[in-house]
Amino acid sequence: YLLLALFAFVVPFSWRMATFITIAIFAATLLKGIFEEGFKPNPLQYQNKFTYIVFIAFWFLYAISFFYSENTAEARIQIGRKLPFFLFPIFFLCSNLSYLNKDRVRTIMYCFVFGILTLFIVNLLWAGYDVIFEEAEIKRLTSPHHFFKTNDYEIFFSIVHRAYFSAFTCLALVFCCIELFYVKNNILKLVNILASVLLIFIPFFLTSRSGMLCTALTLSIIWIWITFVIKRKYIGILSGIIMGI
């Protein structure tokens, strides 16, 4: 569970760390199956076994293509990046995940949100420091191509395509908006409001056209959910006006 939470935190900004954690999750799964449970997964997990097989087959296609690749170094990188498509289905098929109750899944999702915000805030503070104290040009703070300097530190950070990162922000945005209406704690409500504002802003700051489109579609679906599914019509009207502006 702790490894899953750590994986969710690092996956938005470090594919290398996420790959190592994925391997650790897989190793822990094998050890737990051998010494504790005898590989007795929750039968409910087998309902999605076809999906797991599809993901495994997808990874095997990449693995087979390695033998036909002229650039073996890049092929190894791609196989490593796609490794979760192989390891996680095995994890879901062989582990008893009944311990993952609703609250623990929510905690994992919060780790994912904080991972996204950590990357953005670290770069924001770094860029601000460079502009104020190192006399860097203002584009260091305002241009996406100069903003994500953490990518220079490959041990901890990876170069994430703007479209992929925007997809992460949209997933996180959906979670934060749902939490906003169901969580009882006022501090968590405030956290989700602030996180939602930043998550909406990030794709536009990155000038990712696909990210901006995805965010607009996500906000539209959330608005439909608020207005017609949970029937918070006053909030729906207000949020619709804000979106229109």
Side-chain angles (χ1 to χ4, degrees), residues 10 17 23 32 55 75-76 94 103 113 132 135 145 153 155 159 161 169 172 177 186 194 199 201 207 210 217 242:
V10 304
M17 294 176 66
I23 295 172
K32 191 172 183 180
F55 280 117
R76 281 196 297 269
C94 298
D103 287 337
V113 173
I132 296 172
E135 298 182 354
H145 300 288
Y153 294 83
I155 296 177
I159 297 177
H161 194 279
T169 64
C177 288
N186 289 330
L194 295 175
L199 291 169
F201 167 75
T207 62
S210 59
L217 291 173
I242 295 175

Side-chain angles (χ1 to χ4, degrees), residues 114-164:
F114 292 146
I116 294 173
L117 297 181
T118 296
L119 178 63
F120 181 76
I121 292 172
V122 166
N123 280 278
L124 181 65
L125 295 175
W126 192 354
Y129 176 87
D130 285 349
V131 171
I132 296 172
F133 298 103
E134 300 293 335
E135 298 182 354
E137 296 182 17
I138 192 64
K139 65 181 180 181
R140 171 73 175 90
L141 188 62
T142 59
S143 171
H145 300 288
H146 297 85
F147 182 74
F148 283 110
K149 286 296 184 181
T150 44
N151 293 332
D152 296 338
Y153 294 83
E154 294 184 0
I155 296 177
F156 300 106
F157 298 94
S158 305
I159 297 177
V160 182
H161 194 279
R162 289 180 292 173
Y164 292 159

Side-chain angles (χ1 to χ4, degrees), residues 17-163:
M17 294 176 66
T19 300
F20 292 146
I21 295 170
T22 302
I23 295 172
I25 291 173
F26 185 70
T29 301
L30 293 178
L31 292 173
K32 191 172 183 180
I34 293 171
F35 294 105
E36 291 186 11
E37 298 177 350
F39 297 105
K40 295 180 181 178
N42 187 338
L44 292 175
Q45 293 164 214
Y46 283 118
Q47 293 179 354
N48 299 315
K49 61 183 178 181
F50 177 76
T51 304
Y52 302 147
I53 293 172
V54 170
F55 280 117
I56 292 173
F58 176 78
W59 183 83
F60 269 109
L61 287 176
Y62 267 91
I64 293 171
S65 68
F66 174 80
F67 298 100
Y68 301 94
S69 175
E70 296 180 357
N71 188 345
T72 55
E74 179 64 24
R76 281 196 297 269
I77 293 173
Q78 292 301 322
I79 291 173
R81 286 181 175 177
K82 304 299 187 298
L83 192 61
F85 285 101
F86 173 74
L87 296 183
F88 270 107
I90 300 297
F91 169 69
F92 287 125
L93 285 171
C94 298
S95 302
N96 188 341
L97 300 180
S98 57
Y99 65 89
L100 283 179
N101 56 37
K102 183 178 179 180
D103 287 337
R104 287 184 171 181
V105 172
R106 288 174 58 239
T107 300
I108 290 173
M109 287 302 301
Y110 272 115
C111 291
F112 177 68
V113 173
F114 292 146
I116 294 173
L117 297 181
T118 296
L119 178 63
F120 181 76
I121 292 172
V122 166
N123 280 278
L124 181 65
L125 295 175
W126 192 354
Y129 176 87
D130 285 349
V131 171
I132 296 172
F133 298 103
E134 300 293 335
E135 298 182 354
E137 296 182 17
I138 192 64
K139 65 181 180 181
R140 171 73 175 90
L141 188 62
T142 59
S143 171
H145 300 288
H146 297 85
F147 182 74
F148 283 110
K149 286 296 184 181
T150 44
N151 293 332
D152 296 338
Y153 294 83
E154 294 184 0
I155 296 177
F156 300 106
F157 298 94
S158 305
I159 297 177
V160 182
H161 194 279
R162 289 180 292 173

Side-chain angles (χ1 to χ4, degrees), residues 179-199:
E179 279 287 286
L180 186 58
F181 287 93
Y182 287 109
V183 73
K184 303 297 182 182
N185 188 295
N186 289 330
I187 294 178
L188 276 181
K189 283 184 180 292
L190 180 60
V191 168
N192 281 290
I193 291 173
L194 295 175
S196 296
V197 172
L198 284 175
L199 291 169

